[in-house]
Amino acid sequence: MNDTTTISPSSITPRNVQFGFTPALPLNWHSGDPATSRFYDALSLTFPQGERFFIDSVRLFADQVTDPDLKRDIRAFIAQEAIHSREHASYNALLTAHGINVDGFERFMERAMKVSQRWIPGKTQLAITCAYEHYTALFAEAILGDPRVMADAHPLYRDLWRWHAMEEEEHKAVAFNVYQTVAPGFIGYVRRVTMMSVAAFDFFFGIPILQFWLMAKAGDAANLRSWGRGLRHMWLSPGIWRRALVGTFAYMAPGFHPSKRAVKPEVLAWRAHYIATQ
């Protein structure tokens, strides 16, 4: 993508939307396909605790930020992430209501986040946040920029993922800007790319394992036809997982900054849509 800054910090806007997750919603909500649905469900399972971790890592250094624009962006970032965490918690509770009990995994995530926050240095926690925020921005580009990604999804889930993606696109540079403020220079760069390497390993191995676990709990682990459709969606067309993998390498450049990634007109159109429907 071209190196052009296209989003101004003032565009970060928390939207307190609530989605009505009820048992009447289909379990296989994307294309009627278990594997594709479980892929996005696996991502959703990591969000409630993950978003809270992101909030806390930025808060650790909020008092060291003096730039008024960045201070405002931090407040908007925290508000957006808190709402994302709430809505994905409701999303995940519906999995349990459908018979895929995820309570144990959510308790595991909560304990893992507490251990991480206790033992990992603050700047490293913030570097981890920057890495995962890059991935959420890459997903946002794909979800909003390619109609195929959510074309066959149930309308409620389609709206949730597009709303979440749009706000991730808006605040994609906030944690990074805080990190540059408190960890400039070569050591900061080394820490940043090291944590991206760790995040990439976790992301590209952890999510498929979690997806398989959800498929097994739903009784679909041996559904080869569904796995084929899911893998096609992830890797070929629209290839959302492939795009995230390719996007990892840009992050490693010393001069990388999230706001240098050009934003497709389709992404900006979705922002205009949400502004119009506020």
Side-chain angles (χ1 to χ4, degrees), residues 7 23 53 58 64 94 120 126 160-161 168 221 260-261 268 273:
I7 291 184
F53 179 90
V58 169
Q64 297 183 34
L94 190 55
I120 297 176
L126 186 57
L160 173 129
W161 283 101
E168 291 294 336
K260 290 182 178 179
R261 292 185 65 82
L268 298 177
H273 166 76

Side-chain angles (χ1 to χ4, degrees), residues 122-195:
K123 289 182 181 179
T124 302
Q125 292 182 41
L126 186 57
I128 292 170
T129 293
C130 292
Y132 282 105
E133 284 290 294
H134 180 59
Y135 280 127
T136 57
L138 291 171
F139 272 101
E141 291 175 6
I143 289 172
L144 299 177
D146 188 339
R148 297 175 299 170
V149 174
M150 287 290 158
D152 298 319
H154 183 280
L156 183 140
Y157 285 95
R158 181 186 63 217
D159 290 347
L160 173 129
W161 283 101
R162 285 176 174 169
W163 157 77
H164 190 166
M166 191 268 299
E167 293 200 343
E168 291 294 336
E169 177 63 35
E170 282 185 349
H171 71 228
K172 65 183 179 182
V174 176
F176 196 94
N177 286 336
V178 175
Y179 183 78
Q180 285 195 315
T181 299
V182 301
F186 180 72
I187 297 301
Y189 167 72
V190 171
R191 183 190 297 110
R192 174 171 72 79
V193 297
T194 300
M195 289 305 102

Side-chain angles (χ1 to χ4, degrees), residues 4 42 67 79 110 116 143 149 163 173 175 184 192 198 234 256 262 275:
T4 57
D67 180 78
E110 183 176 5
S116 298
I143 289 172
V149 174
W163 157 77
R192 174 171 72 79
V198 173
M234 292 164 62
F256 171 82
I275 292 173

